[in-house]
DNA sequence: TCAAAAGTGTTAGGGGTACACCCATGT
DNA sequence: ACATGGGTGTACCCCTAACACTTTTGA
């Protein structure tokens, strides 16, 4: 027996929801689709899974194609497989979301794909069921950021507390008291205060911080309190 | 243009991690694989995705095939797609986990598939990468149960507090003080105390409770406190 | 009457939230 | 000098965790 002979093979794609933060607003990176159907309409960056690559490899390849970035935070989100998603031919799509430092993004690469950043609160209609994908990604990022320190992936290596707070406020669409916020964040031991300041945002300037990588990896499981002394809750 | 002509189609399977709770131990339901490769070895229940069904439909079909149950808690977990997972032919597997009331499971159906319940702490070696799938499911169930009242799906309609506590202790592999546990659980408003008792577990008997479905649906988002007044964190 | 599990209340401490003022600096 | 955003401390309250005894009843 060499093959599962009677079974149907299906087209498999990967679509990436790419998040960035410009200091003010959470954004997603969209492209103009280059081929039919829905040519020239706004779409997530995606591509078909190739025979010799894993899903994670496909996602990384697709992300690199558009952003030229490697080693960024990329996590599988959900697989969408309703039979009519793509009108041309049934295609199952495995979605990933990426968190990138928007400053590392090379603007010129956008041209090849006619890519643009759009605020998460106001972006164009997307093809197929991609609207639903973005919604799922938004939920997941909130969900995860509520318990794990993933939002740092959206910031440069050096950042200020006001920047970080704005990011949290964006993601959770809420207002946070800065005194409580800084206490809480600093109490995690995740941050190292640097000696220099960012003078861009104000006259006085705000101190830069960077991640304490030891604590960061150790505490990635973080913030849980429903169950006393659980065995593991990580991931 | 009628097809994405140059792309490779891939075999797509669904595998289900089926959890049950017998009052004492968390268990998973495994079958003896009926065909090559790995014939007669222990495996998750799975099957290929058919051309005219969605992934959710495939998962429900597969679950029903083995358990005859419908409408049970079933959630997509993760999609496994390394190229060498299945030695015969590349197969991407979308995994789902199911939480079922073990009492509703019809033992006789097991015979067709040579199915058996195994304690999550000690189950046989599984085929391919299914060990990893079970690990992922275990993590996910803990993760989710820490914040959402999903464990009720593993219990019958009427259950006692000691039963519920044992279940939590199993899932999180920890010991919980019963006074604090009952206070916390009852404070959620999710439970309705019934007038009759379960006399099976003790001489005195323990009161039955059932879910308050209004509150259950309303509070499914539950237990979060990192961010004050978040917009939404549901899922 | 004894063993085994169910059920219940109090206290102390820590963490969270609410809240207001001073500081540094560029214009 | 003043406007703008950065930075810090305290008090109160609630929630959590720790902890022990009584009740019921079948054997």
């Amino acid at each position: 027996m060499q093959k599962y002979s009677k079974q149907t093979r299906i087209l498999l794609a990967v679509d990436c929801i790419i998040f960035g933060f410009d200091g003010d607003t959470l954004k997603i990176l969209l492209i103009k689709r280059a081929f039919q159907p829905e040519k020239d309409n706004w779409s997530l960056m995606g591509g078909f899974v190739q025979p010799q690559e894993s899903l994670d490899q496909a996602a990384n390849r697709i992300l690199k194609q558009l952003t030229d970035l490697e080693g960024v935070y990329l996590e599988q989100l959900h697989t969408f497989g309703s039979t009519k998603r793509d009108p041309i031919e049934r295609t199952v799509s495995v979605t990933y979301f990426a968190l990138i430092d928007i400053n590392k993004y090379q603007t010129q690469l956008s041209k090849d794909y006619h890519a643009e950043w759009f605020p998460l609160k106001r972006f164009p209609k997307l093809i197929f069921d991609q609207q639903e994908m973005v919604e799922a990604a938004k939920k997941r990022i909130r969900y995860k950021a509520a318990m794990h320190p993933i939002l740092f992936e959206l910031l440069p290596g050096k950042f200020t507390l006001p920047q970080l707070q704005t990011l949290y406020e964006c993601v959770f669409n809420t207002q946070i008291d800065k005194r409580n916020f800084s206490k809480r964040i600093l109490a995690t031991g995740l941050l190292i205060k640097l000696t220099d300041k960012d003078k861009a945002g104000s006259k006085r300037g705000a101190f830069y911080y960077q991640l304490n990588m030891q604590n960061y990896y150790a505490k990635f499981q973080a913030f849980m309190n429903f169950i006393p002394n659980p065995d593991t809750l990580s991931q």
Side-chain angles (χ1 to χ4, degrees), chain A:
Chain A
M1 183 186 191
Q2 281 298 78
K3 293 276 181 178
Y4 298 106
S5 48
K6 297 196 177 136
Q7 299 300 330
T8 308
R9 279 93 186 142
I10 298 176
L11 267 180
L12 203 57
V14 162
D15 287 308
C16 293
I17 301 102
I18 304 169
F19 289 95
F21 178 64
D22 64 1
D24 198 36
T25 320
L26 246 199
K27 298 194 162 174
I28 54 174
L29 187 58
L30 302 175
I31 63 166
K32 281 208 168 171
R33 181 159 157 119
F35 53 91
Q36 291 297 346
E38 300 269 5
K39 186 167 188 301
D40 291 332
N41 290 333
W42 291 106
S43 153
L44 297 172
M45 181 71 181
F48 292 104
V49 176
Q50 300 302 308
Q52 75 298 346
E53 68 182 357
S54 70
L55 300 176
D56 287 358
Q57 285 166 349
N60 278 290
R61 167 177 60 78
I62 287 162
L63 187 67
K64 183 172 157 85
Q65 258 178 48
L66 179 58
T67 65
D68 201 40
L69 297 175
E70 289 180 282
V72 306
Y73 188 90
L74 190 61
E75 180 178 330
Q76 190 185 304
L77 176 63
H78 189 81
T79 300
F80 291 78
S82 74
T83 53
K84 301 280 169 61
R85 308 182 42 251
D86 186 319
I88 295 293
E89 177 180 348
R90 180 175 191 185
T91 307
V92 169
S93 169
V94 184
T95 55
Y96 282 75
F97 72 94
L99 305 180
I100 74 177
D101 171 3
I102 208 169
N103 306 300
K104 291 194 184 142
Y105 174 75
Q106 305 294 328
T107 315
Q108 79 238 38
L109 280 166
S110 298
K111 288 176 190 152
D112 303 347
Y113 294 97
H114 304 279
E116 256 179 61
W117 289 99
F118 289 91
L120 199 51
K121 291 195 179 165
R122 189 175 182 79
F123 59 89
K125 191 171 180 312
L126 300 179
I127 66 170
F128 308 160
D129 52 357
Q130 295 190 353
Q131 181 74 34
E132 203 185 327
M133 296 176 176
V134 174
E135 284 304 317
K138 197 160 74 178
K139 271 189 184 168
R140 177 73 70 87
I141 196 180
R142 279 181 173 169
Y143 198 84
K144 192 138 192 185
M147 283 169 297
H148 304 283
I150 57 168
L151 297 184
F152 297 103
E153 304 287 344
L154 288 163
L155 293 171
K158 288 165 62 175
F159 51 86
T160 67
L161 289 187
Q163 275 169 25
L164 185 62
Q165 180 171 344
T166 305
L167 174 53
Y168 271 87
E169 289 177 338
C170 264
V171 170
F172 292 98
N173 201 27
T174 188
Q175 294 288 105
I176 308 178
D177 180 274
K178 63 180 173 176
R179 290 163 288 191
N180 294 336
F181 182 78
S182 74
K183 261 180 291 180
R184 196 189 306 223
I185 289 287
L186 294 174
T188 63
L190 253 46
L191 298 192
I192 299 170
K193 188 174 189 170
L194 302 180
T195 51
D196 52 334
K197 288 182 165 186
D198 167 40
K199 312 280 276 188
S202 70
K203 294 159 184 167
R204 182 180 179 182
F207 279 106
Y208 279 118
Y209 287 80
Q210 68 179 33
L211 276 177
N212 176 329
M213 295 314 279
Q214 266 79 39
N215 293 1
Y216 183 60
Y217 292 126
K219 293 202 179 178
F220 203 82
Q221 30 191 104
F223 323 125
M224 307 257 27
N225 60 354
F226 184 52
I227 301 297
N229 311 313
D231 199 29
T232 349
L233 255 168
S234 57
Q235 134 60 283

